[in-house]
Amino acid sequence: MKTDEAKTFKILMGIVIAVLLAISAFSQSTQTIRGKVVDEITKTPLIGVNVTVLATGETVLGSASDVDGNYRIENVPVGRQTLKITYLGYEEQIIPNVLVTAGKEVILNLSLTESISQLSEIVVVANSKDDKTATNNDLAIVSARSFNVDDTKRYAGALGDPSRMAANFAGVIGGDDSRNDIVVRGNSPTGMLWQLEGLNIPNPNHFGSLNSTGGPVSMLNNNNLDKSDFMTSAFPAQYGNAVAGVFDIQLREGNNQKHEFVTQVGFNGFEMGAEGPLSKKNNGSFIVNYRYSTLGLFNTLGIEFGTGSNIPLYQDLNFKVTLPAKHGGKWSVFGLGGKSEIDLLGSEADLEGESSDLYGNENEDLFPRYQTGIVGISYEKNISPKTHFKITSGYSVAQESFIGDSLVRDANNEVVARYKRGEAEFTTTKYAVLAIMRTKLNSKNSLTYGGNIDMLKFDLFNRDIFVNLGSDTVRINVEDVTSLYRGFITWRHRFSQRFSLNTGIHAQYYALNNQAVIEPRLGLQYVINGKQSLSLGYGIHNQIQSPYTSYVQTKIADDTYILTNTNLKFTTSQHSVITYDWSISEKLRLKAEVYYQTLSNVPVEQRPSSFSAINTGSSFIPVDQDSLVNNGTGTNYGTELTLERFFSKGFYFLITSSLFDSRYKGSDGIERNTAFNTGYVVNGLVGKEFRLGSNQKYLSLNLKITTIGGKYLTPIDFEASQQFGRTIFVESEAFSQKQDAYFRTDFRIAYRKEYAKSTLEISLDLQNLTNHQNIFSQSYNPRTNTIVTQYQQSFFPVPFVRFTF
């Protein structure tokens, strides 16, 4: 470990120890579990539902829901508990591994599925906060999985980030330690759809550039997250404008009966949060969490780090306010905002040190700035005993600015001059309205239908400056407004308790160039017996081109530009998936999927070349290709296997593997590997929680091992790079050089202590435990006249402490 990193680690550990010494309280062994029980489709409160805590000794703990569907169970022992939910005419549920802590009440809202046959009693482990087999969206029956806040904290290397946590799932490719981009089944990260409370949102990550869907640090605070869904293929009709996958994020409601607080510190930042009732006169609640970057705060205090002068500064805020309305309605106001910046100063690089690797380029000073804000308001109620209605409106804005200076060095490597080489300002604004309704026709048939309008405003400018030539090139300079309209309907039919059909239509219209498409979606599921099921999914999905690609301009004369990409069509994807699911036991599950995906109408150049928009989205740099046409194609196919032991008796494991091929054709007609074709991914996670002496102390050990096939890189033309003084690639041999396989081991040790009315959690994440060198990229260095290899994160310890009260 470097000296600066060791110093950082000692400082953070000192803070952890100081917090531990400051805490003094008495032990408590019980807490409250409460929530609301509703019908899965209509969201109607269910009266008289029995909720019981299993195996709590001689005393039976339980509650029946009241006229509003609310239940409350007091004096539940801390630790992990199992709940049983029963109601006449509905499928019984078993919810394992409900974590009960002294510092926070457990608010567990439940939705029950009406039984088709009331004569046979069926136990279903589904629709619970901790059951990974059940998604919030009951229409997602293939390539879908739920997750919750416990997953983001438990998995080694996740660091509370939903994206990094999802990298452990089958079909998801990580392998970029510097960013959390989601690569699904060989697709570009730009094919992802992010939703927050149903709204389509911009990139929810710090340092998230216009042309990407990821970044180094997530703005989503896991203390605010509720159970959410992640989908990788053939998603239901209500999701559109995406060809790869969907992150459907839900924010939890605050405690409406008791004020609770949380403070935590880790390498990602200092955080504080609060939640509680708005007043004693209603059942409204609020929850809010704020974070400021750890490195930024320490830099303010004059403490140095291994990043040198390249200090990432960021802060973010997550919130949700819930208010009951008359006649059973509910209002919610929610949002998140973030601001981030970093000065990447090549002028201050230590060129004589052991390594010239740094967070930037030694020949440039770069000054990127980012801001993102999202706010929404929703109203929902049951407009009839059979129909639930929800309308949401929102506003979002993402701003990105950039200034870059090129550096001139003398023979002693001292900077003797600098000149501006480029500048950019990107602002995208969205006004959105979404309406969704669910109607239960009877126990066998239901409809989900609705639509949304996104009004999009773009203000984009990007200029390259060539001081040596006394000229510049404006890549993009546009202010425009357009709209995207979407509508959907899904019919769900349950032929029997075993066999069900989901079929629907999604339609979208893009006003920029008057494009319209209709997309069929289909899902079939057959439960072979109580433990095995077979599912089939199919869907056509279309996505508009990025605003940068659409508005990039071509220079045809001095100060004369034209737009050549505004008429680009949607990129089209067809997904086909077969899923086999076997619940070997209540604790052990095996899942296998086979998929085939074709991509068409992918933007490529008119002249024969290897370029394809299918490879964009994994970096901060925009793509400036103009005069594109929709003649590109792509193919992704593979098989995935998941073996999972759910957390039980303090032990869990998750093994996922993906074997796949991802290829594309540019305008030259040659089939090549995509930038994301690593061929295989294998993840192994295992963890054990130990009880220390009493029920109030717990120690957990978590291990993660990941190996990913080597990336394909484009070779560098050394002679051309020498001539032009910058990296020039051999584009005709795009993605032909396979690198060594990626390998990384993460280990996490965590301790939890229950106090009278509070909970303390401390952990230490040891990232890249074996200090394996994983190749990130290659480039030409004009100062040394060599091709250099950039490596990813080395061994790094990340301490963390969290206190809820």
Side-chain angles (χ1 to χ4, degrees), residues 5-62:
E5 292 174 342
K7 184 177 181 181
T8 301
F9 176 68
K10 292 178 180 178
I11 292 170
L12 289 174
M13 287 306 298
I15 293 175
V16 170
I17 294 172
V19 172
L20 288 174
L21 295 177
I23 295 174
S24 177
F26 298 99
S27 294
Q28 173 178 298
S29 58
T30 64
Q31 184 55 277
T32 298
I33 299 177
R34 62 183 183 86
K36 187 173 184 177
V37 189
V38 298
D39 181 273
E40 176 186 48
I41 297 173
T42 67
K43 308 303 179 184
T44 303
L46 299 179
I47 307 171
V49 177
N50 293 311
V51 184
T52 307
V53 181
L54 301 181
T56 55
E58 297 181 359
T59 303
V60 178
L61 298 176

Side-chain angles (χ1 to χ4, degrees), residues 275-326:
E275 62 180 287
L278 290 173
S279 73
K280 297 180 180 180
K281 297 180 180 181
N282 59 48
N283 288 320
S285 67
F286 75 92
I287 179 170
V288 59
N289 278 273
Y290 172 79
R291 172 174 58 178
Y292 189 84
S293 60
T294 305
L295 299 185
L297 182 59
F298 282 0
N299 181 64
T300 302
L301 299 175
I303 302 173
E304 296 294 333
F305 289 90
T307 56
S309 59
N310 305 314
I311 305 298
L313 306 176
Y314 54 86
Q315 54 187 316
D316 52 62
L317 180 76
N318 291 224
F319 72 90
K320 185 174 183 179
V321 177
T322 306
L323 286 167
K326 294 181 180 180

